[in-house]
Amino acid sequence: MTSLVLTPLLVFFYLSLASANNYDVVNFGAKGNGQKDSTNAFLNAWVAACGSAQPASIYVPPGRYLLRKVEFIGSNCRNNQITIRIDGTLVAPSDYRVLGNADNWLLFEQVSGVSIYGGTLDGQGTGLWACKASGYGCPKGATTLEFSNSKNVLISGLRSLNSQMFHMVINGCNNVKVQGVSVSASANSPNTDGIHVASSAGVSIFNSRIATGDDCISIGPGTTNLWIENIACGPGHGISIGSLGKAYQEDGVQNVTVSTVTFTGTTNGVRIKTWAKPSTAFVTGVLFQHATMVNVQNPIIIDQNYCPNDEGCPNQASGVKISDVTYQDIHGTSASPVAVNFDCSEENPCNRLILEDVNLSYGNQKSQASCVHAEGSASGFVKPSSCL
Ligand SMILES: *[C@@H]1O[C@H](CO)[C@@H](O)[C@H](O)[C@H]1NC(C)=O
Ligand SMILES: *[C@@H]1O[C@H](CO)[C@@H](O)[C@H](O)[C@H]1NC(C)=O
């Protein structure tokens, strides 16, 4: 019996040893001295791994590797199991004009079965932030890491520092797991969202720590079956579904769970935010549960009147329909009197909002709840007392 059980395992083991196609970027000319441009070395290592008929891995040893924009294209790969193990730091050019208006710095496009383990990505964003703070003539900047139109992706133990724009974007993907990542940028860095998910299904984000200048996690149109659990967020703008409804024709957001998050000193806790203009977008089937708020400006908020600079939406109501949103076991402290704020669309009131075991206090004063065009129910202990 034993050998019957072992044999297939052993065969598998030897096969995987024999096919250990391991490509070290140093063998392709990369130098971890922080000076030499290693872009081509990384690209060539990718081409080799992607061209392998067997599962392959890419290794990045300790050191600092300077990279310009890199596009890892997977549409013609011969295998769907590429492991990238990073012991070093990938460094963006210190002059932000090099990436300029490139949408992203490290882009994985149409890949399938890519796993990234470890590594630090240093976006060197401080120069661009300073430029943006001083006013005009600055490029938009680049997202540090993006997976686009890809599937079966794992990002594990990665650190992202000082991105120019977003730290990580998952767009048009299916089955992506992000775990044990850490994101860090200054509290006043502009547009440095931690992880942005859009047009994707089956994304999960676990056990991560995000400190940044914009949303810790932002959820864009077309996101379904998203699971977020065990996150430390702050500083930052919280976890946000939206902004949605900027475009008239837009996909909805459905089936999102956000569980066990600690928000520390953030501007928002759990937020849904939509533009105040007509749109086909919607939000439904959302569960926010087990959240701890530590001195959060707006712990629970729905804002359907977003319209920066009052441009393009004066006196309009949001077309985004919000329904079936549950807030369960949300407790801690609010940094402003209105701890629960449902500001919904006049044309599309929120419905089936549920508050269950909510306990948010505001110093020694009374915390408040505000409801505009919001319908739903409350159960358990709810403080501030429900306005639904
Ligand atoms: C909702 O999403 C979760 C993953 O986050 C998935 O396991 C579940 O099956 C989805 N539910 C429905 C009804 O699709
Ligand atoms: C609500 O929170 C306050 C402050 O943390 C705490 O003293 C109180 O016991 C909590 N109430 C309930 C019902 O959990």
Side-chain angles (χ1 to χ4, degrees):
M1 275 314 279
T2 311
S3 62
L4 271 180
V5 172
L6 274 179
T7 306
L9 265 181
L10 280 175
V11 168
F12 176 76
F13 179 68
Y14 287 123
L15 270 178
S16 48
L17 268 188
S19 63
N21 298 299
N22 195 344
Y23 303 99
D24 185 330
V25 292
V26 168
N27 296 333
F28 290 82
K31 270 221 166 14
N33 62 4
Q35 305 290 321
K36 186 182 176 241
D37 185 333
S38 295
T39 308
N40 288 334
F42 274 65
L43 268 179
N44 290 334
W46 171 259
V47 167
C50 168
S52 160
Q54 305 294 328
S57 57
I58 295 171
Y59 179 60
V60 181
R64 287 174 67 80
Y65 300 84
L66 178 63
L67 299 176
R68 285 173 288 122
K69 180 176 169 116
V70 193
E71 294 187 24
F72 302 94
I73 312 284
S75 44
N76 292 320
C77 289
R78 293 178 65 210
N79 74 86
N80 57 11
Q81 201 180 318
I82 298 178
T83 302
I84 304 176
R85 201 169 290 281
I86 310 175
D87 285 337
T89 298
L90 315 191
V91 187
S94 58
D95 180 350
Y96 57 81
R97 286 166 301 195
V98 175
L99 291 171
N101 288 309
D103 284 335
N104 20 60
W105 172 34
L106 307 170
L107 172 67
F108 288 83
E109 175 72 44
Q110 293 183 61
V111 302
S112 171
V114 168
S115 304
I116 300 180
Y117 291 94
T120 300
L121 309 179
D122 185 350
Q124 304 241 61
T126 54
L128 180 62
W129 308 340
C131 176
K132 287 179 173 174
S134 73
Y136 36 92
C138 314
K140 179 162 160 270
T143 283
T144 284
L145 174 67
E146 174 161 347
F147 277 87
S148 171
N149 302 311
S150 295
K151 59 180 191 219
N152 308 333
V153 171
L154 172 68
I155 302 171
S156 178
L158 185 70
R159 275 206 315 158
S160 177
L161 306 177
N162 300 338
S163 61
Q164 298 185 359
M165 280 284 290
F166 294 1
H167 287 264
M168 291 179 210
V169 170
I170 294 159
N171 187 34
C173 294
N174 202 337
N175 186 26
V176 177
K177 188 168 178 184
V178 178
Q179 64 184 23
V181 304
S182 111
V183 165
S184 152
S186 115
N188 52 20
S189 56
N191 302 116
T192 52
D193 291 30
I195 303 174
H196 179 72
V197 182
S199 302
S200 295
V203 175
S204 54
I205 303 170
F206 286 99
N207 305 344
S208 295
R209 174 174 292 277
I210 300 169
T212 194
D214 207 303
D215 295 336
C216 288
I217 299 175
S218 54
I219 298 156
T223 302
T224 62
N225 300 358
L226 171 65
W227 192 278
I228 296 170
E229 185 170 350
N230 195 22
I231 307 291
C233 166
H237 294 181
I239 293 184
S240 186
I241 297 178
S243 313
L244 299 180
K246 184 175 186 186
Y248 175 71
Q249 196 73 41
E250 214 180 78
D251 291 334
V253 170
Q254 192 159 2
N255 187 15
V256 173
T257 299
V258 177
S259 183
T260 320
V261 179
T262 300
F263 296 90
T264 307
T266 51
T267 49
N268 306 288
V270 290
R271 173 169 65 166
I272 301 174
K273 177 180 170 190
T274 78
W275 285 73
K277 49 186 187 175
S279 171
T280 60
F282 61 87
V283 177
T284 192
V286 178
L287 173 61
F288 295 114
Q289 66 175 2
H290 312 314
T292 305
M293 305 286 169
V294 183
N295 214 25
V296 171
Q297 287 288 332
N298 305 292
I300 292 178
I301 180 167
I302 295 179
D303 172 9
Q304 294 212 260
N305 285 301
Y306 180 60
C307 195
N309 313 318
D310 275 330
E311 273 167 27
C313 40
N315 309 318
Q316 295 191 55
S318 174
V320 180
K321 178 87 203 151
I322 298 175
S323 61
D324 290 299
V325 182
T326 299
Y327 301 85
Q328 194 177 65
D329 180 26
I330 314 278
H331 58 267
T333 55
S334 176
S336 76
V338 181
V340 175
N341 189 357
F342 296 131
D343 185 10
C344 296
S345 166
E346 187 176 355
E347 302 238 317
N348 296 284
C350 297
N351 53 49
R352 295 189 298 278
L353 303 181
I354 296 174
L355 292 167
E356 206 180 301
D357 300 322
V358 170
N359 187 1
L360 294 165
S361 53
Y362 171 55
N364 294 326
Q365 299 169 54
K366 212 167 145 54
S367 59
Q368 297 161 31
S370 164
C371 290
V372 178
H373 309 301
E375 178 270 329
S377 61
S379 66
F381 179 85
V382 174
K383 175 183 153 189
S385 38
S386 171
C387 54
L388 289 169

